[in-house]
Amino acid sequence: QVQLVESGGGLVQAGDSLRLSCAASGRTFSTMGWFRQAPGKEREFVAAISWSGGGGASYYAGSVKGRFTISGDNVNNTMYLQMNRLKPEDTAVYYCAARDGQFRYDYDYWGQGTQVTVSS
C-alpha cells in the first residue's frame, strides 16, 4: 500500500525558515512534488523534483522560486522542501504528492498534509 507522510510543519514568524519532509512507502516514484492549499483557495503547485531523466531536475512556482529549495532521494523515497524567508502568504496546508513518469502538474498519490502558519 502506497503511503506518503509529511512532517515538519509549524508556526513561525515572517522571515523564518522551515523544512518539510515527505517519506513515501510502498513503491518508488520518478517524480515527487509539493502543493499547498490556503483557506478559501484552490490547491496550488509549489515545487517538484523529477528523476525521470536520470538526475534530480527541480521545478518551482514563481511565488517561491529563490526562497524554497526542493531536494530528495528516489532510492530512499524521501523528499524535502527547505522554505526560507517565509511570508504570511505562504500560510497553507502543504501536501506531498507523487507520480510516475516525468514532471507534470497532475499527481496520483497524495499525503494528508502538514500545516504551515507564518505570522506577520
Side-chain angles (χ1 to χ4, degrees):
Q1 182 179 355
V2 175
Q3 191 173 16
L4 303 178
V5 179
E6 306 95 337
S7 61
L11 171 63
V12 297
Q13 293 186 331
D16 286 350
S17 298
L18 270 179
R19 188 189 194 214
L20 304 183
S21 301
C22 174
S25 59
R27 53 161 295 184
T28 59
F29 298 97
S30 56
T31 299
M32 297 180 73
W34 290 99
F35 287 73
R36 67 186 182 186
Q37 187 167 21
K41 295 187 177 181
E42 293 187 354
R43 187 163 56 190
E44 64 174 1
F45 169 77
V46 175
I49 184 166
S50 181
W51 300 279
S52 63
S58 56
Y59 306 84
Y60 296 95
S63 59
V64 306
K65 197 169 186 179
R67 299 188 299 123
F68 292 10
T69 302
I70 192 170
S71 61
D73 179 353
N74 70 324
V75 173
N76 296 311
N77 256 359
T78 55
M79 178 178 63
Y80 307 97
L81 185 68
Q82 177 66 43
M83 306 185 294
N84 298 329
R85 290 183 282 134
L86 282 161
K87 304 176 181 180
E89 51 263 44
D90 295 318
T91 295
V93 176
Y94 283 71
Y95 297 92
C96 169
R99 70 184 307 278
D100 295 315
Q102 58 189 319
F103 168 70
R104 291 285 189 272
Y105 290 104
D106 57 308
Y107 288 73
D108 300 309
Y109 302 94
W110 294 86
Q112 292 300 307
T114 185
Q115 177 71 46
V116 172
T117 303
V118 184
S119 64
S120 58

